[in-house]
Amino acid sequence: MPDAAPDSEQFASDNYSGICPQAWQAMERANRMDEPAYGEDAWTARAADQLRALFDTDCDVYFVFNGTAANSLALASIGQSFHSVICHELAHIETDECGGPEYASNGAKLLLGTGDNGKLTPDSVEHLVTKRSDIHYPKPKALSLTQATEVGTVYSPDELRALREVATRHRLNIHMDGARFANAVAALDVHPAEITWKAGVDVLCFSGTKNGLALGEAVIFFNRALAEDFEWRCKQAGQLASKMRYISAPWCGLLDNDTWLANARHANACAERLERGLAGIPGVSLRYPRQVNGVFVDLPEPMQAALRAKGWRFYNFIGGCSRLMCSWSTTEAQVDRFLGDVRGLVAQRQ
Ligand SMILES: *Cc1c(COP(=O)(O)O)cnc(C)c1O
């Protein structure tokens, strides 16, 4: 059995992290007896009820294996093949899902908008909707927002309301990619309802994976009319887990005692510590304001290479900057070791 190299540590991704203890224990409890299949079990009912309680509304809840499927199937349920979905040019649905949303919707087109710090602006949405209205162009039907964004920023409740205003004017439904929704709630310190259905979000893909599960995303329809026949869509797409309790029980583990929020707060706090430690180090600069659990930073090439040689793993992307991502399992000591290595490298060069 391969062991991780003992001298390798990572800020590569929050999905490099393992399963948090609370989710693991819930999985163990779910394994004590047989239960009905295909989501007819008590765990799945309980997890869905807990999500309804968390959002304080009567929403429809489904569980799928991963984020690409959650986004693709949710977007497919919003429109027809001749529709289009407006998203930011850096959106995961555009850059990292291999055309999944287009495939699931049989061809709905993504229209790419812009805005600083990974956030769509109302003007950009307005422009995309109004630049064409003829029969030859796919009709805009949905607005997809990533909360928190791909570059570690968040939409404030006011920003969401402004986007909702444009969306309502143009009859766009709002999809939210919540791969790091928990981190956004923690950062904004708001009730989850404030940045979802109260801000006009129709469907949310709420990630458990990046928050501390092995796998499993909740697709939450606040606009329940859009959920019509969604379970058939999931089944056809190979996203209906027969032993669904092994997705939903760990979700209960996350939701009990607000573990999801504690995990997100911890990840955000680690990133904040990293950000503070990196501030003021010569040659190191932040690319985006850090608001959640990722620090996007420009590091000199030789420093990147030296850090990697010391065993640190992290990705470079989005314009070539380094992304340092924290999770529930990141420790302060690990952050401090990384900062120590960075400072050591700077000192050596002087
Ligand atoms: C990780 C991530 C997803 C989901 O990715 P999967 O690998 O399909 O689970 C979706 N959106 C964003 C912004 C992500 O970072």
Side-chain angles (χ1 to χ4, degrees), residues 8-28:
S8 161
E9 293 194 274
Q10 67 93 14
F11 288 103
S13 185
D14 29 9
N15 58 21
Y16 274 44
S17 66
I19 304 171
C20 71
Q22 295 87 344
W24 185 262
Q25 283 151 20
M27 177 99 101
E28 197 277 325

Side-chain angles (χ1 to χ4, degrees), residues 19 55 72 76 83 97 192 194 253 255-256 281 284 300-301 349:
I19 304 171
F55 285 93
S72 301
H83 284 136
E97 299 192 353
E194 290 300 320
L255 293 166
D256 286 343
I281 294 184
V284 174
E301 290 268 348
R349 283 197 294 139

Side-chain angles (χ1 to χ4, degrees), residues 22-331:
Q22 295 87 344
W24 185 262
Q25 283 151 20
M27 177 99 101
E28 197 277 325
R29 284 200 298 280
N31 200 37
R32 291 180 196 171
M33 60 184 204
D34 293 355
E35 285 256 14
Y38 299 109
E40 300 295 322
D41 62 284
W43 288 101
T44 301
R46 193 179 142 211
D49 282 343
Q50 282 184 287
L51 284 165
R52 283 186 274 273
L54 176 67
F55 285 93
D56 200 17
T57 188
D58 195 12
C59 42
D60 281 354
V61 178
Y62 303 85
F63 295 98
V64 298
F65 290 103
N66 63 25
T68 297
N71 286 334
S72 301
L73 298 175
L75 287 167
S77 70
I78 286 182
Q80 305 284 336
S81 58
F82 49 82
H83 284 136
S84 54
V85 175
I86 294 173
C87 66
H88 194 277
E89 58 191 351
L90 295 178
H92 196 271
I93 59 169
E94 156 68 9
T95 63
D96 287 291
E97 299 192 353
C98 196
E102 294 92 326
Y103 181 66
S105 61
N106 294 307
K109 184 180 169 76
L110 301 185
L111 303 181
L112 306 184
T114 55
D116 291 343
N117 299 325
K119 295 192 276 184
L120 273 175
T121 62
D123 283 350
S124 173
V125 176
E126 182 81 36
H127 169 71
L128 285 171
V129 180
T130 53
K131 76 173 186 181
R132 291 276 294 270
S133 59
D134 58 273
I135 196 84
H136 305 281
Y137 199 67
K139 186 178 181 203
K141 186 70 175 178
L143 176 59
S144 176
L145 304 172
T146 312
Q147 178 78 315
T149 71
E150 288 73 7
V151 297
T153 56
V154 292
Y155 288 96
S156 69
D158 281 348
E159 286 171 326
L160 292 174
R161 268 191 290 278
L163 286 159
R164 172 77 257 184
E165 194 273 316
V166 189
T168 303
R169 205 149 22 81
H170 297 293
R171 299 165 173 272
L172 306 175
N173 288 307
I174 299 184
H175 159 261
M176 184 170 273
D177 175 349
R180 299 190 179 86
F181 180 75
N183 305 89
V185 172
L188 289 163
D189 199 21
V190 290
H191 190 282
E194 290 300 320
I195 54 170
T196 53
W197 62 273
K198 288 188 179 172
V201 173
D202 294 284
V203 55
L204 167 70
C205 299
F206 186 177
S207 175
T209 308
K210 284 180 176 147
N211 190 253
L213 299 189
L215 79 170
E217 320 289 283
V219 183
I220 304 175
F221 287 92
F222 302 108
N223 179 347
R224 297 173 65 196
L226 294 178
E228 192 184 343
D229 298 341
F230 191 71
E231 53 263 69
W232 278 270
R233 197 183 282 288
C234 289
K235 174 66 191 182
Q236 185 183 52
Q239 287 289 323
L240 177 66
S242 70
K243 292 189 180 178
M244 194 180 287
R245 65 188 183 280
Y246 293 105
I247 294 179
S248 53
W251 261 102
C252 294
L254 282 188
L255 293 166
D256 286 343
N257 305 313
D258 283 340
T259 293
W260 65 280
L261 193 53
N263 283 354
R265 285 194 177 126
H266 172 82
N268 290 3
C270 286
E272 190 180 352
R273 188 180 183 90
L274 199 48
E275 176 200 15
R276 261 199 259 119
L278 290 171
I281 294 184
V284 174
S285 57
L286 270 200
R287 180 75 70 96
Y288 298 101
R290 184 219 55 87
Q291 293 187 286
V292 284
N293 59 324
V295 183
F296 290 76
V297 71
D298 287 297
L299 301 171
E301 290 268 348
M303 182 186 285
Q304 291 177 36
L307 287 167
R308 292 199 164 97
K310 284 177 179 292
W312 292 103
R313 294 214 218 163
F314 49 92
Y315 287 127
N316 271 42
F317 72 136
I318 309 189
C321 65
S322 299
R323 185 186 79 163
L324 306 171
M325 195 57 94
C326 301
S327 75
W328 72 270
S329 69
T330 307
T331 63

